[in-house]
């Protein structure tokens, strides 16, 4: 084997080894969460030499506990079970994503094709410039006046407003990469602008819409600060509920938190799997444009 070929092979081996090492390191928290979710209380409260990577006596008590069915080893009174917070997160994140994608896509198309909106891009990005606490104080006052505090639709509305700049900038990039000649040809054939948008442009933007919607949904699904300030009891979300899982007897309920974290990871994963074909195309959209 010649010198250049040997150096090339060594570089490839080093590159794949580095990729594997970084991948393994990034998976450590996930593996630990999965392991913790199936450990009984005696194991996830252990320390030092007694602490193990894998559960010695796997149990579903942590999952039963967060849904109100305490196991024999974990007897703590819960003020509420995880069912309502999961429903609140699903409703708020889903409708918030719908609001953000609808408004963001319409604004992105108008600006990309007609240059409409003036200083709209700057105005939208300003929503993300201010510190969240500075923005949330007036929002709390307005939401209280409108009766939207501790409601899933009030949470969905603010999620849509806060994440709309992300959907706008993502979709604008995709619209800019799409050739205008396709739409111009349809207009010459007699299609109206609305028909072109609905029948031609949006179907071609399905991969872009899928990848943008997944990104926005994850932002809404994982939010903690907004939900903490705008919900009090009836419609708290999964992150807020997870933070409340503690006991004066046992301290932080790490097993229950890990079980809830495992459940909370399911919706984004399912959504990603469902749109994986569009997701790959959306992430590479315009990459080969000359």
């Amino acid at each position: 084997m010649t010198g250049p070929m040997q150096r090339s092979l060594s570089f490839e081996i080093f590159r794949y080894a580095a990729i594997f090492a970084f991948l393994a390191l990034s998976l450590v928290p996930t593996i630990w969460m999965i392991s913790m979710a199936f450990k009984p209380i005696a194991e996830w409260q252990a320390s030092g030499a007694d602490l193990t990577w894998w559960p010695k006596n796997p149990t579903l008590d942590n999952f039963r506990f967060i849904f109100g069915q305490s196991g024999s080893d974990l007897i703590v009174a819960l003020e509420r079970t995880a069912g309502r917070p999961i429903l609140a997160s699903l409703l708020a994140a889903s409708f918030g994503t719908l609001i953000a994608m609808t408004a963001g896509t319409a604004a992105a198309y108008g600006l990309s094709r007609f240059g409409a909106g003036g200083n709209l891009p700057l105005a939208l990005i300003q929503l993300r410039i201010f510190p969240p606490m500075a923005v949330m104080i007036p929002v709390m006052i307005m939401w209280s006046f409108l009766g939207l505090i501790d409601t899933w639709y009030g949470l969905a509305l603010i999620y849509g407003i806060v994440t709309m700049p992300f959907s706008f900038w993502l979709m604008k990039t995709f619209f800019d990469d799409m050739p205008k000649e396709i739409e111009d040809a349809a207009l010459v054939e007699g299609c109206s602008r609305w028909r072109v948008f609905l029948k031609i442009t949006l179907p071609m933007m399905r991969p872009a819409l899928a990848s943008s919607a997944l990104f926005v949904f994850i932002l809404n699904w994982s939010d903690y600060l907004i939900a903490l300030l705008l919900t009090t009891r009836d419609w708290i979300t999964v992150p807020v509920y997870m933070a409340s899982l503690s006991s004066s007897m046992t301290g932080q309920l790490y097993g229950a938190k890990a079980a809830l974290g495992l459940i909370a990871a399911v919706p984004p994963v399912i959504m990603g799997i469902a749109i994986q074909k569009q997701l790959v195309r959306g992430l590479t959209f315009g990459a080969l444009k000359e």
Side-chain angles (χ1 to χ4, degrees):
M1 183 179 294
T2 61
M5 292 181 62
Q6 188 174 7
R7 286 194 297 270
S8 177
L9 179 60
S10 300
F11 176 76
E12 288 297 317
I13 294 175
F14 173 77
R15 186 177 70 167
Y16 282 108
I19 292 174
F20 177 79
F22 280 114
L23 179 62
L25 186 63
S26 65
L27 288 177
V28 167
T30 302
I31 296 173
W32 186 252
M33 179 184 69
I34 295 173
S35 172
M36 188 72 71
F38 294 96
K39 287 181 177 180
I41 183 172
E43 293 186 29
W44 54 256
Q45 279 194 326
S47 61
D50 296 330
L51 192 63
T52 59
W53 267 99
W54 303 108
K56 299 176 182 178
N57 302 295
T59 179
L60 295 176
D61 281 352
N62 294 316
F63 294 91
R64 297 190 187 101
F65 171 70
I66 61 176
F67 287 104
Q69 303 175 4
S70 296
S72 57
D73 294 332
L74 189 59
I75 304 176
V76 180
L78 282 177
E79 292 184 5
R80 62 180 69 87
T81 62
R84 189 66 175 264
I86 292 174
L87 176 62
S89 288
L90 285 172
L91 289 173
S94 299
F95 282 93
T97 301
L98 180 62
I99 294 171
M101 290 303 302
T102 301
T105 300
Y109 183 76
L111 190 65
S112 177
R113 290 296 183 263
F114 311 112
N119 294 324
L120 178 63
L122 180 60
L124 289 177
I125 202 63
Q126 284 178 344
L127 291 173
R128 307 300 304 181
I129 292 176
F130 293 103
M133 282 303 299
V135 177
M136 288 309 301
I137 292 174
V139 168
M140 289 177 62
I141 297 173
M142 288 189 293
W143 258 233
S144 178
F145 177 76
L146 295 173
L148 297 177
I149 295 292
D150 202 21
T151 61
W152 69 264
Y153 45 87
L155 202 55
L157 181 58
I158 191 62
Y159 280 169
I161 294 172
V162 170
T163 56
M164 196 263 283
F166 291 107
S167 66
F168 168 78
W169 281 103
L170 287 170
M171 291 307 301
K172 184 181 181 301
T173 302
F174 293 128
F175 283 129
D176 290 341
D177 288 337
M178 179 181 173
K180 296 181 181 179
E181 291 77 12
I182 300 175
E183 296 177 327
D184 293 338
L187 291 171
V188 170
E189 293 296 326
C191 288
S192 65
R193 175 59 69 176
W194 271 107
R195 187 174 181 84
V196 170
F197 178 69
L198 295 175
K199 299 295 184 180
I200 297 176
T201 306
L202 283 185
M204 293 183 66
M205 286 288 109
R206 269 192 300 232
L209 288 168
S211 57
S212 300
L214 179 60
F215 177 71
V216 172
F217 178 82
I218 292 175
L219 289 177
N220 292 333
W221 178 259
S222 59
D223 167 73
Y224 174 75
L225 178 62
I226 296 176
L228 177 66
L229 296 177
L230 295 184
T231 58
T232 56
R233 180 177 177 83
D234 293 336
W235 291 101
I236 64 170
T237 59
V238 169
V240 178
Y241 177 74
M242 187 181 297
S244 69
L245 287 175
S246 61
S247 168
S248 58
M249 295 184 296
T250 59
Q252 295 294 325
L253 304 177
Y254 294 115
K257 289 186 176 184
L260 183 58
L262 197 58
I263 294 174
V266 171
V269 170
I270 292 177
M271 186 176 177
I273 294 174
I275 63 174
Q276 60 180 335
K277 292 182 179 179
Q278 288 80 9
L279 184 61
V280 173
R281 290 179 59 194
L283 293 175
T284 58
F285 192 88
L288 301 178
K289 184 179 178 181
E290 297 181 356

